[in-house]
Amino acid sequence: MSDVSTVSNVREASLAVLRRHGITTIFGNPGSTELPMFRDFPDDFRYVLGLQESVAVGMADGFAQATGRAALVNLHSAAGVGHGLGNVFTAFRNRTPLVLVAGQQARSLLVGEPFLFAERPVEFPEPYVKYSREPARAADVPATLARAIHVATTPPCGPVLVSVPVDDWDRPAGPVAEHRVAGAVAGDPAALAEVADQLAAAESPVFVVGGEVDRDGAFDDVVALAERHAAPVHVAPMSPRCGFPERHRLFAGFLPAAHDGIRAALDGHDLVLVLGSPVFPFHTEGAVEGDSAVPDGTVLVQLTEDPAHAAWTPVGTSIVTGLRHGVRALLDGPPPPARPEPSPRPAAARVAADDVITEELLLQTLADLRPADSVVVEEAPATRGPMHDHLPFDRPASFYNCASGGLGHGLPASVGMALARSERVVALVGDGSAMYGIQALWSAAQLGVPLTIVVVHNARYRALDQFAEHFGITKPVGTALPGLDFVALAAGQGVPGVRVERPEELEPALTEALSSPGPVVLDVLVR
């Protein structure tokens, strides 16, 4: 017989599990099937309300990336999970540890099809969750939640879902025994030693870095390895984090997401070392001989924490390993011969102000004025090229992007990031992107976070216009966005805003916005 003194209900046992893991901030938008979860809501917990479920998921994603811990999101049954699923997909691609707790109708009603129930709730978010369960018994909810947290935070991290019937929270449940899961994946020592030998013997190695470098805290180790081998360093296509200082003498630029462009960039190197990225995320077709992005005769080696990425790498050697462990093992390898350093990548020319604001001028001005320790969350796809030229990043944990390509993540994620970080956070979002999660402005106002939102306002989905050229489409449809007023949209949610239309207005408006104690929107019209 169990000790009565240790018996509580599902809610209390679940909150104890969350406390143990340092999860005391809950993001969400509650519905009727979730309300009992928050009965007698404890004072040491905080509920962050988003006005739409995708906003709640995006805010939790930014918060989790900033803290390095799992974040919990409360979603409403099937409808709420459906609304949030786009940003669940992004969290899966970002490798963000999110715990989604979704409501379900009462168990006694599930024999039929009750209002607001979730049919097959475990299957609904798949394949974009690592783990998905609706416990068979109410008493199993706390232990299922504990397991979900462990799964979410075990590399490669990602979102998980627990579906909880509404009447479970008040049912009896005992405490969950403490269980610690620790340790990163350590790659095979013999394989890493072999790669270290290959790297030392290579005549002209080149590195490609991805988001895992920053996620695993391997930034400084990668810099040391590149300097040791005098290797130029490219950023992998669509990388969501800063993995190498972009003003470093060995920085070689950003790889395009096409076979031929990647092959041209890697040509002339006898060894390609890919650190923390798939090989490779392609977005456009590129006709090359043999349909391979790796030049003939070039050896490819990949270090990644993700077994799935390793499995579909088409050539070479893949080692499943935590990046810090793997790179430090390579640093312990034999010394390389003296190699000439590659010519440094030429810096972009300074942009002179004209009679209109260009993207280049906007990004150059932001680079000049933003605090050195500030963090940028970007979702302005059409502006990415000018950003690469005029807004460099040189520090770990300084740049965050959406790894999935889906819109609606950047603005909410910047709110979550600003809630967790002490540094100034800058959201750099396109006008089309901003409209996917514009309700996040209300949450930013309620929280009072120090957040500067720069809207790159070109009155269109310009990334689609650019991509239409790839298909030879001269008259794309559905890409114009006339009439949007982000100052009015911000004011309606409690955030001050300024429209910037002239070059001479840009610097003073940006200076003031970057020093504001709370959130502020700059609606910048670009040509």
Side-chain angles (χ1 to χ4, degrees), residues 356-378:
V356 297
I357 301 174
T358 63
E359 293 172 323
E360 290 79 5
L361 179 64
L362 168 60
L363 295 165
Q364 175 181 281
T365 307
L366 179 57
D368 290 344
L369 297 178
R370 75 183 183 99
D373 63 349
S374 60
V375 177
V376 173
V377 179
E378 179 263 323

Side-chain angles (χ1 to χ4, degrees), residues 415-431:
V415 177
M417 187 74 62
L419 186 62
R421 300 284 289 261
S422 59
E423 308 94 328
R424 188 76 192 181
V425 175
V426 178
L428 181 67
V429 294
D431 47 358

Side-chain angles (χ1 to χ4, degrees), residues 478-492:
T479 62
L481 299 172
L484 290 174
D485 185 342
F486 288 94
V487 174
L489 287 165

Side-chain angles (χ1 to χ4, degrees), residues 50-427:
L51 298 187
Q52 210 262 9
E53 286 89 346
S54 66
V55 170
V57 175
M59 289 194 296
D61 188 324
F63 188 83
Q65 290 196 68
T67 61
R69 300 192 305 270
L72 190 137
V73 189
N74 153 233
L75 297 176
H76 178 41
S77 191
V81 174
H83 288 159
L85 200 52
N87 274 336
V88 173
F89 167 59
T90 292
F92 183 78
R93 295 297 186 203
N94 284 351
R95 301 307 187 203
T96 304
L98 292 187
V99 180
L100 315 173
V101 176
Q104 173 63 296
Q105 265 290 8
R107 290 180 186 270
S108 62
L109 298 178
L110 293 180
V111 66
E113 293 196 4
F115 189 62
L116 289 177
F117 92 118
E119 184 171 0
R120 294 188 288 177
V122 170
E123 299 173 42
F124 192 16
E126 293 177 341
Y128 301 119
V129 290
K130 292 179 63 181
Y131 173 83
S132 187
R133 291 289 188 277
E134 184 174 278
R137 304 179 307 161
D140 295 332
V141 169
T144 303
L145 186 59
R147 179 181 176 186
I149 294 169
H150 289 311
V151 173
T153 54
T154 300
C157 298
V160 296
L161 181 137
V162 179
S163 172
V164 183
V166 65
D167 53 341
D168 280 7
W169 295 106
D170 293 312
R171 295 185 182 277
V176 177
E178 186 168 355
H179 173 220
R180 182 168 175 255
V181 177
V185 176
D188 178 69
L192 288 167
E194 181 180 341
V195 170
D197 291 342
Q198 288 179 294
L199 191 56
E203 293 184 6
S204 179
V206 61
F207 293 0
V208 178
V209 297
E212 290 176 36
V213 170
D214 194 29
R215 283 201 302 269
D216 198 38
F219 189 95
D220 292 338
D221 297 309
V222 169
V223 172
L225 188 68
E227 290 176 346
R228 186 176 196 223
H229 290 277
V233 180
H234 293 273
V235 172
M238 311 297 182
S239 179
R241 305 278 282 262
C242 176
F244 197 81
E246 295 171 18
R247 283 178 284 203
H248 193 281
R249 65 186 185 277
L250 292 174
F251 182 66
F254 302 85
L255 292 182
H259 290 77
D260 45 6
I262 294 174
R263 184 163 183 158
L266 303 181
D267 192 38
H269 297 282
D270 58 341
L271 187 145
V272 178
L273 178 62
V274 180
L275 299 170
S277 170
V279 180
F280 288 103
F282 299 114
H283 188 36
T284 59
E285 297 172 294
V288 295
E289 185 178 351
D291 197 33
S292 174
V294 181
D296 295 339
T298 298
V299 173
L300 183 137
V301 178
Q302 177 193 37
L303 270 58
T304 177
E305 67 179 10
D306 194 328
H309 287 171
W312 63 260
T313 296
V315 296
T317 298
S318 295
I319 301 175
V320 178
T321 180
L323 262 292
R324 274 182 301 170
H325 174 89
V327 172
R328 288 174 184 177
L330 298 184
L331 282 167
D332 289 338
R339 300 187 183 107
E341 286 200 353
S343 300
R345 180 174 181 254
R350 294 281 298 181
V351 179
D354 201 345
D355 57 348
V356 297
I357 301 174
T358 63
E359 293 172 323
E360 290 79 5
L361 179 64
L362 168 60
L363 295 165
Q364 175 181 281
T365 307
L366 179 57
D368 290 344
L369 297 178
R370 75 183 183 99
D373 63 349
S374 60
V375 177
V376 173
V377 179
E378 179 263 323
E379 194 178 281
T383 308
R384 202 155 295 150
M387 183 187 72
H388 289 163
D389 290 336
H390 297 284
L391 183 59
F393 298 93
D394 292 318
R395 298 180 300 105
S398 62
F399 173 74
Y400 297 84
N401 187 2
C402 165
S404 71
L407 301 183
H409 169 264
L411 185 51
S414 70
V415 177
M417 187 74 62
L419 186 62
R421 300 284 289 261
S422 59
E423 308 94 328
R424 188 76 192 181
V425 175
V426 178

